[in-house]
Amino acid sequence: MPNPTVFFVSDGTGITAETFGNAILAQFELKFRHVRLPFVDSVDKAHQAVRQINHTAEVEGRKPIVFTTLVNMEVLNVITEGCKGMLLDMFGTFVNPLEKELGITSNHRIGRFSDASKSKEYHDRIEAINFSLSHDDGQLNRDLELSDVILVGVSRSGKTPTSLYLAMQYGLKAANYPLIPEDFERRQLPPALMPHKKKIFGLTIQPERLSEIRNERRPNSRYASLPNCRDEVSEAEAMMRRAGIRWLSTTHKSIEEIATTILQEISPERLIY
């Protein structure tokens, strides 16, 4: 039997449907075939989606799973009435009961990013991404007082992807700074970071995993050698202990888990959702 097919149908980007759907599917020890159907924002496109879903059901001999976040009721009705898949309407499941409980009607806005050009939150998010890119890997020491969080750690410990995730997902201005041999010789954090100690969070990693990652980039180099990785990680962790900054190991953690821990520890004043 082929892997079960899952459709994510949305009149926007489909990010909400896919994120929520994947969180549910992760509970099952199965591999799924994902089909994304974004921008289904007309009756015509809804009929096309129905034909694609029903064709899959016929070919595979079982119902596909269909996650939807459709706001337009006319479009949703086409899917509801014609689709031969197992339909999971997320907005219908959660928005309708909330309307009753709150005593108000939702704005039925299509997608998180609708009217992006007029959204202050969207512009703030873009500004945060630009800040994180320009302050990646210690490229820029200026404006660190504007940062929400400053990540430190040895090279390839996960600082850059975590910084960008915090910027893109929460609109946080996240700078990151590599700890290098010169810092270890001084036995203290880089001077540019000292005034912002409350915003600093450290990332570390098991030397064996670090060596694997670095060997993908610079094979058979001193930079990637296990003894060097052990020395750097040991020095970095000792420095973070002396400085009294919070830190965690990224070895077995996802970017989402790392970011969540940082948010709990740093507790930034502002978050964008």
Side-chain angles (χ1 to χ4, degrees), residues 70-269:
L70 294 166
V71 172
N72 185 309
M73 291 307 298
E74 197 177 0
V75 172
L76 177 60
N77 286 339
V78 172
I79 303 290
T80 304
E81 292 169 11
C83 164
K84 293 180 180 176
M86 178 193 176
L87 189 63
L88 298 169
D89 174 18
M90 298 182 196
F91 281 2
T93 301
F94 297 106
V95 174
N96 294 344
L98 274 171
E99 286 181 332
K100 291 177 184 176
E101 181 65 27
L102 297 172
I104 59 173
T105 303
S106 69
N107 61 22
H108 291 260
R109 183 179 65 178
I110 296 175
R112 173 181 177 182
F113 303 111
S114 61
D115 270 341
S117 63
K118 300 177 184 176
S119 166
K120 181 182 182 303
E121 288 80 9
Y122 183 79
H123 285 291
D124 287 347
R125 193 185 304 276
I126 295 299
E127 188 180 327
I129 294 168
N130 287 333
F131 181 93
S132 296
L133 286 171
S134 63
H135 290 78
D136 179 45
D137 217 22
Q139 293 180 78
L140 196 63
N141 289 335
R142 294 197 315 272
D143 304 326
L144 285 176
E145 69 278 1
L146 300 178
S147 64
D148 294 298
V149 60
I150 302 170
L151 302 181
V152 298
V154 298
S155 171
R156 313 305 288 177
S157 58
K159 301 183 302 301
T160 295
T162 303
S163 295
L164 289 175
Y165 181 84
L166 288 168
M168 294 174 71
Q169 193 70 14
Y170 298 105
L172 293 181
K173 293 180 177 178
N176 74 76
Y177 210 98
L179 297 177
I180 57 177
E182 286 81 354
D183 300 318
F184 303 145
E185 288 170 13
R186 283 197 310 268
R187 296 177 60 80
Q188 62 179 11
L189 292 169
L193 305 185
M194 295 307 288
H196 314 289
K197 197 170 167 183
K198 288 184 179 177
K199 298 178 180 180
I200 297 176
F201 194 92
L203 301 182
T204 188
I205 186 171
Q206 286 180 356
E208 293 77 12
R209 178 60 184 144
L210 180 61
S211 180
E212 288 175 12
I213 294 169
R214 288 184 174 183
N215 265 301
E216 291 172 6
R217 187 171 184 176
R218 295 188 204 167
N220 304 315
S221 63
R222 182 182 181 281
Y223 166 78
S225 71
L226 185 53
N228 181 61
C229 290
R230 282 177 176 152
D231 287 344
E232 285 194 25
V233 169
S234 175
E235 290 284 355
E237 291 181 357
M239 180 182 293
M240 289 187 276
R241 287 192 198 94
R242 285 195 301 271
I245 63 173
R246 295 151 289 186
W247 55 282
L248 63 79
S249 173
T250 63
T251 310
H252 302 295
K253 287 186 167 54
S254 67
I255 296 297
E256 293 84 354
E257 289 173 312
I258 297 165
T260 300
T261 303
I262 291 168
L263 293 178
Q264 286 180 307
E265 292 288 336
I266 297 291
S267 300
E269 294 179 4

Side-chain angles (χ1 to χ4, degrees), residues 40-53:
V40 180
D41 52 8
S42 69
V43 167
D44 227 17
K45 290 179 182 177
H47 282 297
Q48 290 175 34
V50 166
R51 284 195 291 273
Q52 188 172 345
I53 293 165

